[in-house]
Amino acid sequence: MKQIKDVCIDRTTSIRQAMAQVGRGCRGIALVVDTDGRLEATLTDGDLRRAILAGTELDAPIDCVVAQKQATGIPLAVTAPADIAEEAAMHAMREACVRQLPLLDEEGRVVDLLTLDELLPEARLPVQTVIMAGGFGTRLRPLTDDTPKPMLSIAGRPLLERMIERLRLSGIHQINVTTHYMPEKITDHFGDGQRFGVNINYVAEDEPLGTAGALGLVGASEEPLLVLNGDILTQVDFADMLAFHREMEAEMTIGVAQYDFEVPYGVIEADGGIVRALREKPRYDFQINAGMYLIEPSARRRIPPGQRCDMTDLIAQLLADGQIVASFPVVEYWLDIGKHSDFQRAQQEVRQMRWAS
């Protein structure tokens, strides 16, 4: 029951809290239950993404997301009895076009949760993938004095190993890794990737070319290119990101994470020296770059070969040319490990979570 409790919420839960619950549960879903554990509705990561894109306040109760879902005619929950056979469960999920199936007892209480990812063999995701792992990690010194940042151990396993596992679980098996700082630490650990269920190609970045310029060293492909910073820890579903990218018909899609900042003081709003309002310790929400990108081949061809170019340069060029650059809200667990406090936080949170594997 502990795993079920990890994904259960009640109607008073805010969207912000539901996002955190989806991240902790690592199943891509939150189950709305009453005080007796009876299921009232399901909220997937997609439901939460749609609410965020619609501009719904993160501190609004999830009741409003349930209402939005109900208004579309989508069933509030697709369920099955607790004794359903696996084959029948997979058929039910395919018929309903869902990826999670709560199992209920005769009283309507949740007793288990099946996911299509757990029941089906991994399907190949049609993307080429690059992990940028060449940085120096200067803000994490002395931890990075003799270890590349992507190889720092998070709860007993290198950060990069956890990212590669996430990719494999999403159906991605062909991975390019760009290296620069102490590349042998990476190549000696992973080899050709077979031990980790993937195929790894290493791309040596002799001179730093920027977050976009290094992509010119990777072989051309007619598939979208998934580019990931090597210092992020996430449970994002890359299949969902690709589906969103296609739905938006975007030249480039940027993964964005929610970041909130609480001002520790009362904020004065004044006009011409006259106080109009006082907001006590307000909290502001921002969407920040999560270090994940999907790039179409046509957008990739805009990167000047052999020259330094950052993602911000490519994004600015696409926007100036009127191309669609989409933002994909990451509602699953995400953490950028850029400083010591992030590193310590990652150690604690991974141990507490039901980390997908």
mmCIF file of all heavy atoms in Angstrom, residues 121-170:
data_model
loop_
_atom_site.group_PDB
_atom_site.id
_atom_site.type_symbol
_atom_site.label_atom_id
_atom_site.label_comp_id
_atom_site.label_asym_id
_atom_site.label_seq_id
_atom_site.Cartn_x
_atom_site.Cartn_y
_atom_site.Cartn_z
ATOM 1 N N PRO A 121 6.870 -4.552 -23.376
ATOM 2 C CA PRO A 121 8.283 -4.350 -23.712
ATOM 3 C C PRO A 121 8.476 -2.930 -24.222
ATOM 4 O O PRO A 121 7.564 -2.311 -24.772
ATOM 5 C CB PRO A 121 8.533 -5.375 -24.828
ATOM 6 C CG PRO A 121 7.418 -6.354 -24.733
ATOM 7 C CD PRO A 121 6.246 -5.612 -24.177
ATOM 8 N N GLU A 122 9.664 -2.410 -24.042
ATOM 9 C CA GLU A 122 9.950 -1.038 -24.458
ATOM 10 C C GLU A 122 9.837 -0.896 -25.972
ATOM 11 O O GLU A 122 10.369 -1.700 -26.725
ATOM 12 C CB GLU A 122 11.356 -0.640 -24.015
ATOM 13 C CG GLU A 122 11.538 -0.696 -22.511
ATOM 14 C CD GLU A 122 12.996 -0.838 -22.129
ATOM 15 O OE1 GLU A 122 13.869 -0.663 -22.992
ATOM 16 O OE2 GLU A 122 13.263 -1.161 -20.962
ATOM 17 N N ALA A 123 9.124 0.126 -26.423
ATOM 18 C CA ALA A 123 9.021 0.430 -27.841
ATOM 19 C C ALA A 123 10.047 1.507 -28.187
ATOM 20 O O ALA A 123 10.296 2.420 -27.392
ATOM 21 C CB ALA A 123 7.610 0.919 -28.166
ATOM 22 N N ARG A 124 10.639 1.404 -29.361
ATOM 23 C CA ARG A 124 11.656 2.370 -29.757
ATOM 24 C C ARG A 124 11.028 3.734 -29.996
ATOM 25 O O ARG A 124 9.999 3.852 -30.655
ATOM 26 C CB ARG A 124 12.367 1.905 -31.025
ATOM 27 C CG ARG A 124 13.440 2.875 -31.495
ATOM 28 C CD ARG A 124 14.052 2.439 -32.816
ATOM 29 N NE ARG A 124 15.041 3.389 -33.268
ATOM 30 C CZ ARG A 124 14.770 4.487 -33.970
ATOM 31 N NH1 ARG A 124 13.516 4.761 -34.298
ATOM 32 N NH2 ARG A 124 15.734 5.306 -34.350
ATOM 33 N N LEU A 125 11.636 4.764 -29.438
ATOM 34 C CA LEU A 125 11.190 6.135 -29.642
ATOM 35 C C LEU A 125 11.994 6.717 -30.805
ATOM 36 O O LEU A 125 13.232 6.694 -30.779
ATOM 37 C CB LEU A 125 11.414 6.955 -28.365
ATOM 38 C CG LEU A 125 10.561 8.214 -28.185
ATOM 39 C CD1 LEU A 125 9.094 7.832 -28.096
ATOM 40 C CD2 LEU A 125 10.982 8.959 -26.926
ATOM 41 N N PRO A 126 11.334 7.223 -31.840
ATOM 42 C CA PRO A 126 12.043 7.673 -33.048
ATOM 43 C C PRO A 126 12.707 9.041 -32.887
ATOM 44 O O PRO A 126 12.298 10.031 -33.492
ATOM 45 C CB PRO A 126 10.931 7.704 -34.102
ATOM 46 C CG PRO A 126 9.693 8.025 -33.318
ATOM 47 C CD PRO A 126 9.869 7.337 -31.985
ATOM 48 N N VAL A 127 13.735 9.081 -32.083
ATOM 49 C CA VAL A 127 14.522 10.300 -31.912
ATOM 50 C C VAL A 127 15.999 9.929 -31.840
ATOM 51 O O VAL A 127 16.350 8.809 -31.471
ATOM 52 C CB VAL A 127 14.140 11.095 -30.638
ATOM 53 C CG1 VAL A 127 12.713 11.584 -30.688
ATOM 54 C CG2 VAL A 127 14.381 10.258 -29.389
ATOM 55 N N GLN A 128 16.844 10.861 -32.230
ATOM 56 C CA GLN A 128 18.269 10.738 -31.974
ATOM 57 C C GLN A 128 18.542 11.533 -30.699
ATOM 58 O O GLN A 128 17.911 12.570 -30.462
ATOM 59 C CB GLN A 128 19.080 11.302 -33.133
ATOM 60 C CG GLN A 128 20.570 11.055 -33.024
ATOM 61 C CD GLN A 128 21.338 11.609 -34.219
ATOM 62 O OE1 GLN A 128 20.790 12.360 -35.009
ATOM 63 N NE2 GLN A 128 22.595 11.243 -34.337
ATOM 64 N N THR A 129 19.454 11.051 -29.866
ATOM 65 C CA THR A 129 19.635 11.658 -28.543
ATOM 66 C C THR A 129 21.081 12.047 -28.295
ATOM 67 O O THR A 129 21.998 11.303 -28.646
ATOM 68 C CB THR A 129 19.172 10.682 -27.446
ATOM 69 O OG1 THR A 129 17.817 10.326 -27.688
ATOM 70 C CG2 THR A 129 19.270 11.319 -26.077
ATOM 71 N N VAL A 130 21.249 13.221 -27.686
ATOM 72 C CA VAL A 130 22.569 13.704 -27.298
ATOM 73 C C VAL A 130 22.523 14.145 -25.838
ATOM 74 O O VAL A 130 21.635 14.920 -25.446
ATOM 75 C CB VAL A 130 23.022 14.896 -28.165
ATOM 76 C CG1 VAL A 130 24.379 15.413 -27.697
ATOM 77 C CG2 VAL A 130 23.087 14.511 -29.631
ATOM 78 N N ILE A 131 23.450 13.637 -25.032
ATOM 79 C CA ILE A 131 23.610 14.110 -23.656
ATOM 80 C C ILE A 131 24.880 14.947 -23.601
ATOM 81 O O ILE A 131 25.964 14.487 -23.965
ATOM 82 C CB ILE A 131 23.725 12.943 -22.656
ATOM 83 C CG1 ILE A 131 22.500 12.036 -22.742
ATOM 84 C CG2 ILE A 131 23.879 13.476 -21.226
ATOM 85 C CD1 ILE A 131 22.573 10.808 -21.851
ATOM 86 N N MET A 132 24.749 16.196 -23.165
ATOM 87 C CA MET A 132 25.892 17.108 -23.078
ATOM 88 C C MET A 132 26.601 16.880 -21.745
ATOM 89 O O MET A 132 26.110 17.283 -20.695
ATOM 90 C CB MET A 132 25.413 18.561 -23.186
ATOM 91 C CG MET A 132 24.444 18.819 -24.340
ATOM 92 S SD MET A 132 25.178 18.559 -25.964
ATOM 93 C CE MET A 132 26.184 20.025 -26.085
ATOM 94 N N ALA A 133 27.744 16.205 -21.793
ATOM 95 C CA ALA A 133 28.418 15.796 -20.553
ATOM 96 C C ALA A 133 29.853 16.306 -20.474
ATOM 97 O O ALA A 133 30.684 15.717 -19.786
ATOM 98 C CB ALA A 133 28.403 14.273 -20.437
ATOM 99 N N GLY A 134 30.135 17.424 -21.147
ATOM 100 C CA GLY A 134 31.516 17.892 -21.198
ATOM 101 C C GLY A 134 31.878 19.021 -20.263
ATOM 102 O O GLY A 134 33.027 19.467 -20.252
ATOM 103 N N GLY A 135 30.919 19.502 -19.452
ATOM 104 C CA GLY A 135 31.170 20.666 -18.604
ATOM 105 C C GLY A 135 32.151 20.397 -17.465
ATOM 106 O O GLY A 135 32.390 19.250 -17.081
ATOM 107 N N PHE A 136 32.684 21.501 -16.912
ATOM 108 C CA PHE A 136 33.683 21.396 -15.842
ATOM 109 C C PHE A 136 33.051 21.279 -14.452
ATOM 110 O O PHE A 136 33.695 20.815 -13.517
ATOM 111 C CB PHE A 136 34.606 22.620 -15.866
ATOM 112 C CG PHE A 136 35.504 22.659 -17.065
ATOM 113 C CD1 PHE A 136 35.170 23.418 -18.170
ATOM 114 C CD2 PHE A 136 36.680 21.925 -17.101
ATOM 115 C CE1 PHE A 136 35.986 23.450 -19.291
ATOM 116 C CE2 PHE A 136 37.511 21.952 -18.213
ATOM 117 C CZ PHE A 136 37.160 22.719 -19.316
ATOM 118 N N GLY A 137 31.805 21.732 -14.290
ATOM 119 C CA GLY A 137 31.153 21.650 -12.973
ATOM 120 C C GLY A 137 31.864 22.463 -11.912
ATOM 121 O O GLY A 137 32.019 22.019 -10.763
ATOM 122 N N THR A 138 32.293 23.684 -12.267
ATOM 123 C CA THR A 138 33.110 24.489 -11.354
ATOM 124 C C THR A 138 32.391 24.844 -10.059
ATOM 125 O O THR A 138 33.032 24.939 -9.001
ATOM 126 C CB THR A 138 33.568 25.776 -12.060
ATOM 127 O OG1 THR A 138 32.423 26.451 -12.613
ATOM 128 C CG2 THR A 138 34.525 25.461 -13.197
ATOM 129 N N ARG A 139 31.065 24.999 -10.108
ATOM 130 C CA ARG A 139 30.335 25.380 -8.892
ATOM 131 C C ARG A 139 30.253 24.243 -7.881
ATOM 132 O O ARG A 139 29.888 24.463 -6.731
ATOM 133 C CB ARG A 139 28.927 25.867 -9.247
ATOM 134 C CG ARG A 139 28.887 27.221 -9.949
ATOM 135 C CD ARG A 139 27.464 27.662 -10.199
ATOM 136 N NE ARG A 139 26.771 26.756 -11.117
ATOM 137 C CZ ARG A 139 25.457 26.735 -11.315
ATOM 138 N NH1 ARG A 139 24.673 27.536 -10.613
ATOM 139 N NH2 ARG A 139 24.923 25.899 -12.174
ATOM 140 N N LEU A 140 30.574 23.040 -8.329
ATOM 141 C CA LEU A 140 30.522 21.890 -7.425
ATOM 142 C C LEU A 140 31.899 21.465 -6.929
ATOM 143 O O LEU A 140 32.036 20.406 -6.307
ATOM 144 C CB LEU A 140 29.837 20.709 -8.128
ATOM 145 C CG LEU A 140 28.304 20.783 -8.160
ATOM 146 C CD1 LEU A 140 27.738 19.757 -9.123
ATOM 147 C CD2 LEU A 140 27.708 20.580 -6.781
ATOM 148 N N ARG A 141 32.913 22.243 -7.191
ATOM 149 C CA ARG A 141 34.231 21.933 -6.638
ATOM 150 C C ARG A 141 34.179 22.009 -5.117
ATOM 151 O O ARG A 141 33.434 22.802 -4.566
ATOM 152 C CB ARG A 141 35.275 22.917 -7.191
ATOM 153 C CG ARG A 141 35.612 22.644 -8.659
ATOM 154 C CD ARG A 141 36.602 23.651 -9.187
ATOM 155 N NE ARG A 141 36.991 23.293 -10.565
ATOM 156 C CZ ARG A 141 37.598 24.121 -11.395
ATOM 157 N NH1 ARG A 141 37.891 25.360 -11.027
ATOM 158 N NH2 ARG A 141 37.924 23.721 -12.606
ATOM 159 N N PRO A 142 34.920 21.161 -4.396
ATOM 160 C CA PRO A 142 35.953 20.226 -4.867
ATOM 161 C C PRO A 142 35.429 18.874 -5.335
ATOM 162 O O PRO A 142 36.224 18.005 -5.703
ATOM 163 C CB PRO A 142 36.829 20.059 -3.637
ATOM 164 C CG PRO A 142 35.885 20.178 -2.498
ATOM 165 C CD PRO A 142 34.863 21.208 -2.906
ATOM 166 N N LEU A 143 34.086 18.652 -5.345
ATOM 167 C CA LEU A 143 33.558 17.353 -5.761
ATOM 168 C C LEU A 143 33.963 17.009 -7.185
ATOM 169 O O LEU A 143 34.135 15.832 -7.530
ATOM 170 C CB LEU A 143 32.029 17.352 -5.647
ATOM 171 C CG LEU A 143 31.424 17.497 -4.249
ATOM 172 C CD1 LEU A 143 29.911 17.605 -4.333
ATOM 173 C CD2 LEU A 143 31.823 16.324 -3.360
ATOM 174 N N THR A 144 34.106 18.040 -8.017
ATOM 175 C CA THR A 144 34.418 17.805 -9.429
ATOM 176 C C THR A 144 35.897 17.986 -9.757
ATOM 177 O O THR A 144 36.266 18.041 -10.929
ATOM 178 C CB THR A 144 33.571 18.753 -10.306
ATOM 179 O OG1 THR A 144 33.763 20.108 -9.857
ATOM 180 C CG2 THR A 144 32.106 18.397 -10.236
ATOM 181 N N ASP A 145 36.745 18.075 -8.741
ATOM 182 C CA ASP A 145 38.184 18.217 -9.013
ATOM 183 C C ASP A 145 38.729 17.002 -9.756
ATOM 184 O O ASP A 145 39.622 17.130 -10.606
ATOM 185 C CB ASP A 145 38.962 18.413 -7.704
ATOM 186 C CG ASP A 145 38.834 19.833 -7.172
ATOM 187 O OD1 ASP A 145 38.367 20.715 -7.944
ATOM 188 O OD2 ASP A 145 39.177 20.061 -6.004
ATOM 189 N N ASP A 146 38.215 15.819 -9.422
ATOM 190 C CA ASP A 146 38.710 14.620 -10.093
ATOM 191 C C ASP A 146 37.577 13.757 -10.638
ATOM 192 O O ASP A 146 37.773 12.585 -10.954
ATOM 193 C CB ASP A 146 39.584 13.787 -9.147
ATOM 194 C CG ASP A 146 38.843 13.366 -7.881
ATOM 195 O OD1 ASP A 146 37.646 13.701 -7.747
ATOM 196 O OD2 ASP A 146 39.463 12.698 -7.033
ATOM 197 N N THR A 147 36.384 14.350 -10.770
ATOM 198 C CA THR A 147 35.223 13.629 -11.305
ATOM 199 C C THR A 147 34.364 14.579 -12.139
ATOM 200 O O THR A 147 34.015 15.660 -11.662
ATOM 201 C CB THR A 147 34.347 13.058 -10.154
ATOM 202 O OG1 THR A 147 35.150 12.233 -9.311
ATOM 203 C CG2 THR A 147 33.188 12.247 -10.706
ATOM 204 N N PRO A 148 34.030 14.200 -13.374
ATOM 205 C CA PRO A 148 33.101 15.044 -14.140
ATOM 206 C C PRO A 148 31.751 15.125 -13.429
ATOM 207 O O PRO A 148 31.303 14.147 -12.827
ATOM 208 C CB PRO A 148 32.973 14.310 -15.484
ATOM 209 C CG PRO A 148 34.098 13.340 -15.526
ATOM 210 C CD PRO A 148 34.423 12.991 -14.112
ATOM 211 N N LYS A 149 31.105 16.261 -13.513
ATOM 212 C CA LYS A 149 29.833 16.429 -12.813
ATOM 213 C C LYS A 149 28.812 15.332 -13.142
ATOM 214 O O LYS A 149 28.154 14.809 -12.229
ATOM 215 C CB LYS A 149 29.247 17.816 -13.098
ATOM 216 C CG LYS A 149 27.928 18.069 -12.383
ATOM 217 C CD LYS A 149 27.549 19.530 -12.319
ATOM 218 C CE LYS A 149 27.337 20.161 -13.660
ATOM 219 N NZ LYS A 149 26.719 21.507 -13.554
ATOM 220 N N PRO A 150 28.649 14.918 -14.408
ATOM 221 C CA PRO A 150 27.666 13.858 -14.690
ATOM 222 C C PRO A 150 27.988 12.516 -14.041
ATOM 223 O O PRO A 150 27.126 11.637 -13.984
ATOM 224 C CB PRO A 150 27.707 13.736 -16.219
ATOM 225 C CG PRO A 150 28.224 15.043 -16.700
ATOM 226 C CD PRO A 150 29.214 15.468 -15.666
ATOM 227 N N MET A 151 29.219 12.360 -13.536
ATOM 228 C CA MET A 151 29.599 11.094 -12.908
ATOM 229 C C MET A 151 29.536 11.151 -11.385
ATOM 230 O O MET A 151 29.877 10.171 -10.712
ATOM 231 C CB MET A 151 31.011 10.685 -13.350
ATOM 232 C CG MET A 151 31.110 10.342 -14.832
ATOM 233 S SD MET A 151 29.969 9.006 -15.319
ATOM 234 C CE MET A 151 30.660 7.622 -14.388
ATOM 235 N N LEU A 152 29.088 12.261 -10.828
ATOM 236 C CA LEU A 152 28.915 12.330 -9.379
ATOM 237 C C LEU A 152 27.846 11.339 -8.932
ATOM 238 O O LEU A 152 26.820 11.170 -9.595
ATOM 239 C CB LEU A 152 28.526 13.748 -8.958
ATOM 240 C CG LEU A 152 29.600 14.829 -9.129
ATOM 241 C CD1 LEU A 152 29.043 16.188 -8.739
ATOM 242 C CD2 LEU A 152 30.845 14.503 -8.304
ATOM 243 N N SER A 153 28.084 10.687 -7.819
ATOM 244 C CA SER A 153 27.178 9.648 -7.343
ATOM 245 C C SER A 153 25.951 10.247 -6.665
ATOM 246 O O SER A 153 26.064 11.073 -5.756
ATOM 247 C CB SER A 153 27.919 8.730 -6.366
ATOM 248 O OG SER A 153 27.042 7.739 -5.871
ATOM 249 N N ILE A 154 24.777 9.838 -7.134
ATOM 250 C CA ILE A 154 23.510 10.231 -6.531
ATOM 251 C C ILE A 154 22.871 8.974 -5.944
ATOM 252 O O ILE A 154 22.446 8.074 -6.672
ATOM 253 C CB ILE A 154 22.549 10.862 -7.563
ATOM 254 C CG1 ILE A 154 23.208 12.048 -8.274
ATOM 255 C CG2 ILE A 154 21.248 11.280 -6.884
ATOM 256 C CD1 ILE A 154 23.552 13.205 -7.368
ATOM 257 N N ALA A 155 22.857 8.891 -4.623
ATOM 258 C CA ALA A 155 22.306 7.727 -3.930
ATOM 259 C C ALA A 155 22.909 6.436 -4.465
ATOM 260 O O ALA A 155 22.197 5.452 -4.722
ATOM 261 C CB ALA A 155 20.784 7.707 -4.033
ATOM 262 N N GLY A 156 24.233 6.440 -4.651
ATOM 263 C CA GLY A 156 24.940 5.218 -5.002
ATOM 264 C C GLY A 156 25.141 4.955 -6.473
ATOM 265 O O GLY A 156 25.797 3.966 -6.835
ATOM 266 N N ARG A 157 24.622 5.835 -7.363
ATOM 267 C CA ARG A 157 24.781 5.627 -8.802
ATOM 268 C C ARG A 157 25.113 6.951 -9.480
ATOM 269 O O ARG A 157 24.571 7.994 -9.093
ATOM 270 C CB ARG A 157 23.500 5.045 -9.408
ATOM 271 C CG ARG A 157 23.130 3.684 -8.873
ATOM 272 C CD ARG A 157 21.761 3.255 -9.360
ATOM 273 N NE ARG A 157 21.720 3.138 -10.795
ATOM 274 C CZ ARG A 157 20.580 2.989 -11.494
ATOM 275 N NH1 ARG A 157 19.421 2.978 -10.855
ATOM 276 N NH2 ARG A 157 20.605 2.866 -12.790
ATOM 277 N N PRO A 158 25.984 6.937 -10.505
ATOM 278 C CA PRO A 158 26.318 8.194 -11.185
ATOM 279 C C PRO A 158 25.084 8.863 -11.776
ATOM 280 O O PRO A 158 24.163 8.195 -12.273
ATOM 281 C CB PRO A 158 27.286 7.750 -12.292
ATOM 282 C CG PRO A 158 27.850 6.463 -11.819
ATOM 283 C CD PRO A 158 26.748 5.796 -11.046
ATOM 284 N N LEU A 159 25.083 10.181 -11.731
ATOM 285 C CA LEU A 159 23.987 10.964 -12.291
ATOM 286 C C LEU A 159 23.726 10.585 -13.747
ATOM 287 O O LEU A 159 22.580 10.404 -14.159
ATOM 288 C CB LEU A 159 24.333 12.458 -12.174
ATOM 289 C CG LEU A 159 23.402 13.466 -12.836
ATOM 290 C CD1 LEU A 159 21.998 13.364 -12.267
ATOM 291 C CD2 LEU A 159 23.960 14.877 -12.640
ATOM 292 N N LEU A 160 24.783 10.458 -14.536
ATOM 293 C CA LEU A 160 24.637 10.118 -15.951
ATOM 294 C C LEU A 160 24.027 8.732 -16.136
ATOM 295 O O LEU A 160 23.253 8.505 -17.074
ATOM 296 C CB LEU A 160 25.995 10.209 -16.652
ATOM 297 C CG LEU A 160 26.012 9.979 -18.167
ATOM 298 C CD1 LEU A 160 25.078 10.936 -18.892
ATOM 299 C CD2 LEU A 160 27.435 10.113 -18.702
ATOM 300 N N GLU A 161 24.330 7.817 -15.246
ATOM 301 C CA GLU A 161 23.745 6.478 -15.330
ATOM 302 C C GLU A 161 22.239 6.541 -15.121
ATOM 303 O O GLU A 161 21.465 5.830 -15.782
ATOM 304 C CB GLU A 161 24.397 5.567 -14.296
ATOM 305 C CG GLU A 161 23.948 4.108 -14.379
ATOM 306 C CD GLU A 161 24.665 3.225 -13.375
ATOM 307 O OE1 GLU A 161 25.893 3.362 -13.241
ATOM 308 O OE2 GLU A 161 23.977 2.401 -12.728
ATOM 309 N N ARG A 162 21.803 7.392 -14.210
ATOM 310 C CA ARG A 162 20.369 7.540 -13.973
ATOM 311 C C ARG A 162 19.675 8.154 -15.194
ATOM 312 O O ARG A 162 18.546 7.783 -15.529
ATOM 313 C CB ARG A 162 20.128 8.382 -12.720
ATOM 314 C CG ARG A 162 20.556 7.661 -11.434
ATOM 315 C CD ARG A 162 20.169 8.440 -10.187
ATOM 316 N NE ARG A 162 20.534 7.704 -8.979
ATOM 317 C CZ ARG A 162 19.811 6.738 -8.427
ATOM 318 N NH1 ARG A 162 18.659 6.395 -8.972
ATOM 319 N NH2 ARG A 162 20.227 6.130 -7.334
ATOM 320 N N MET A 163 20.336 9.093 -15.865
ATOM 321 C CA MET A 163 19.758 9.681 -17.073
ATOM 322 C C MET A 163 19.659 8.638 -18.192
ATOM 323 O O MET A 163 18.643 8.551 -18.887
ATOM 324 C CB MET A 163 20.598 10.868 -17.533
ATOM 325 C CG MET A 163 20.154 11.445 -18.883
ATOM 326 S SD MET A 163 18.429 11.999 -18.901
ATOM 327 C CE MET A 163 18.618 13.547 -18.003
ATOM 328 N N ILE A 164 20.703 7.857 -18.370
ATOM 329 C CA ILE A 164 20.687 6.829 -19.415
ATOM 330 C C ILE A 164 19.600 5.796 -19.131
ATOM 331 O O ILE A 164 18.901 5.336 -20.050
ATOM 332 C CB ILE A 164 22.080 6.182 -19.539
ATOM 333 C CG1 ILE A 164 23.045 7.176 -20.205
ATOM 334 C CG2 ILE A 164 22.023 4.876 -20.327
ATOM 335 C CD1 ILE A 164 24.486 6.733 -20.248
ATOM 336 N N GLU A 165 19.402 5.460 -17.869
ATOM 337 C CA GLU A 165 18.321 4.549 -17.511
ATOM 338 C C GLU A 165 16.964 5.148 -17.872
ATOM 339 O O GLU A 165 16.083 4.465 -18.401
ATOM 340 C CB GLU A 165 18.374 4.251 -16.019
ATOM 341 C CG GLU A 165 17.237 3.356 -15.538
ATOM 342 C CD GLU A 165 17.231 3.212 -14.024
ATOM 343 O OE1 GLU A 165 17.014 4.213 -13.329
ATOM 344 O OE2 GLU A 165 17.469 2.094 -13.563
ATOM 345 N N ARG A 166 16.795 6.440 -17.600
ATOM 346 C CA ARG A 166 15.530 7.106 -17.925
ATOM 347 C C ARG A 166 15.259 7.062 -19.430
ATOM 348 O O ARG A 166 14.131 6.837 -19.876
ATOM 349 C CB ARG A 166 15.602 8.562 -17.441
ATOM 350 C CG ARG A 166 14.385 9.414 -17.703
ATOM 351 C CD ARG A 166 13.226 8.988 -16.850
ATOM 352 N NE ARG A 166 12.224 8.267 -17.615
ATOM 353 C CZ ARG A 166 11.256 7.555 -17.093
ATOM 354 N NH1 ARG A 166 11.129 7.431 -15.801
ATOM 355 N NH2 ARG A 166 10.391 6.934 -17.858
ATOM 356 N N LEU A 167 16.314 7.257 -20.221
ATOM 357 C CA LEU A 167 16.172 7.202 -21.669
ATOM 358 C C LEU A 167 15.797 5.793 -22.125
ATOM 359 O O LEU A 167 14.918 5.614 -22.970
ATOM 360 C CB LEU A 167 17.470 7.653 -22.342
ATOM 361 C CG LEU A 167 17.807 9.140 -22.195
ATOM 362 C CD1 LEU A 167 19.237 9.414 -22.630
ATOM 363 C CD2 LEU A 167 16.834 9.986 -23.008
ATOM 364 N N ARG A 168 16.462 4.793 -21.566
ATOM 365 C CA ARG A 168 16.158 3.408 -21.947
ATOM 366 C C ARG A 168 14.710 3.067 -21.634
ATOM 367 O O ARG A 168 14.006 2.442 -22.440
ATOM 368 C CB ARG A 168 17.093 2.448 -21.208
ATOM 369 C CG ARG A 168 16.840 0.976 -21.552
ATOM 370 C CD ARG A 168 17.748 0.050 -20.767
ATOM 371 N NE ARG A 168 17.561 0.168 -19.326
ATOM 372 C CZ ARG A 168 16.542 -0.372 -18.659
ATOM 373 N NH1 ARG A 168 15.612 -1.068 -19.304
ATOM 374 N NH2 ARG A 168 16.442 -0.222 -17.360
ATOM 375 N N LEU A 169 14.229 3.492 -20.469
ATOM 376 C CA LEU A 169 12.850 3.219 -20.095
ATOM 377 C C LEU A 169 11.859 3.937 -21.007
ATOM 378 O O LEU A 169 10.702 3.517 -21.126
ATOM 379 C CB LEU A 169 12.607 3.625 -18.637
ATOM 380 C CG LEU A 169 13.306 2.752 -17.584
ATOM 381 C CD1 LEU A 169 13.173 3.374 -16.206
ATOM 382 C CD2 LEU A 169 12.754 1.333 -17.594
ATOM 383 N N SER A 170 12.291 5.012 -21.643
ATOM 384 C CA SER A 170 11.439 5.739 -22.589
ATOM 385 C C SER A 170 11.523 5.153 -23.996
ATOM 386 O O SER A 170 10.882 5.662 -24.915
ATOM 387 C CB SER A 170 11.834 7.224 -22.630
ATOM 388 O OG SER A 170 11.547 7.865 -21.404
#
